[in-house]
Amino acid sequence: MKVVKLEDIIGTEQEVDGGNWVSRRLVLKKDGMGYSVHDTIIRAGTETHIWYQNHLESVYCIEGEGEVETLADNKVWPIKKNEIYVLDKNDEHLLRAKTDMRMVCVFNPPITGREVHDENGVYPVDED
């Protein structure tokens, strides 16, 4: 059994600021669960290009509102509090925050914790 407190993550190397977002990585690959869990704030007024070619992601919005545009079909999906979106096809997308959005993100496979998006919006796959 493990208990992780958000307050213990803030200000450590498990809090990563990507400019448009800040991600507090709660459960990581090293924890051996087969997925990772992040508490992420998407900053109001931002647009972030993301393409998790190596990961599947589920994102549950617990505060705020914005939208996701899937680039394969240019479909726009409004997102608000108490809604989840699932990127089940490694969807290349744009995430736009109208207000600050607080999201709980689950990644499979798990990330190690220090990843940031590359120029294509991708997290690298960890080969270990």
Side-chain angles (χ1 to χ4, degrees):
M1 173 78 179
K2 182 176 184 172
V3 175
V4 179
K5 296 178 185 176
L6 180 60
E7 65 194 49
D8 294 337
I9 300 297
I10 294 174
T12 73
E13 67 179 14
Q14 284 182 231
E15 181 179 46
V16 177
D17 191 325
N20 291 352
W21 50 267
V22 60
S23 178
R24 290 80 64 101
R25 279 84 190 265
L26 304 168
V27 178
L28 296 169
K29 181 178 181 177
K30 68 180 180 177
D31 297 309
M33 297 300 297
Y35 57 85
S36 57
V37 179
H38 316 176
D39 181 309
T40 301
I41 305 297
I42 309 298
R43 294 185 172 109
T46 63
E47 177 181 89
T48 305
H49 173 243
I50 306 170
W51 189 8
Y52 296 124
Q53 296 173 353
N54 304 309
H55 299 83
L56 298 176
E57 182 191 27
S58 295
V59 182
Y60 182 63
C61 181
I62 58 176
E63 292 178 11
E65 69 177 280
E67 63 186 25
V68 174
E69 180 179 352
T70 48
L71 296 182
D73 58 9
N74 295 99
K75 185 166 183 177
V76 176
W77 307 81
I79 304 295
K80 62 183 185 295
K81 180 179 177 178
N82 298 327
E83 294 180 349
I84 190 169
Y85 66 91
V86 179
L87 300 161
D88 59 343
K89 294 180 177 49
N90 305 95
D91 307 272
E92 183 177 11
H93 61 287
L94 299 173
L95 175 58
R96 299 182 188 104
K98 294 180 182 178
T99 65
D100 280 351
M101 299 175 76
R102 186 169 178 204
M103 319 288 250
V104 176
C105 309
V106 177
F107 284 87
N108 181 10
I111 68 164
T112 62
R114 297 304 305 159
E115 291 87 346
V116 293
H117 303 125
D118 70 12
E119 66 278 358
N120 296 312
V122 176
Y123 279 165
V125 69
D126 181 41
E127 298 295 339
D128 291 338

